[in-house]
Amino acid sequence: MRPIWLCRACGQPWPCGRAKLALVTEYDGDQVSLCLYLARMLHDAIDDLHKLNPTTTGCASDMFDRFLGWPTRRTRLSRMTEAGSPRPEETGA
């Protein structure tokens, strides 16, 4: 729901878990395009949220992590498990 950037289905900040799964499916293996899309959405969200209330837009690192941090973490984890490294649940982490 723009301009407040909440998920229409669950009301959580977008992209929520369901939206992330849908995006990963939609951009199947095209990490660069996914990140470019999310960067555009981050820019739009910052503009929209700032217009609504300049004092509560959120800190830059939180907004970056919300939109662009999760695909990077997901890719690193996939690469580690594909390379034969133990999965986090196997190491007790």
Side-chain angles (χ1 to χ4, degrees):
M1 291 185 295
R2 292 175 83 170
I4 58 175
W5 289 86
L6 297 178
C7 174
R8 287 184 203 114
C10 69
Q12 295 297 309
W14 191 93
C16 63
R18 181 182 287 173
K20 290 175 184 177
L21 288 174
L23 288 165
V24 166
T25 301
E26 181 179 345
Y27 286 91
D28 183 35
D30 191 354
Q31 186 75 16
V32 172
S33 292
L34 173 60
C35 287
L36 289 172
Y37 172 74
L38 289 169
R40 189 175 79 231
M41 295 298 98
L42 170 62
H43 183 269
D44 290 352
I46 289 171
D47 283 348
D48 288 346
L49 294 171
H50 185 75
K51 287 175 188 171
L52 288 174
N53 191 346
T55 61
T56 61
T57 301
C59 76
S61 63
D62 290 344
M63 292 294 287
F64 179 88
D65 192 50
R66 174 177 164 182
F67 284 84
L68 290 166
W70 66 270
T72 305
R73 286 190 304 274
R74 183 182 171 281
T75 300
R76 275 193 305 241
L77 181 59
S78 294
R79 286 183 186 154
M80 285 181 5
T81 56
E82 287 172 6
S85 299
R87 297 176 188 210
E89 62 271 10
E90 296 171 347
T91 62

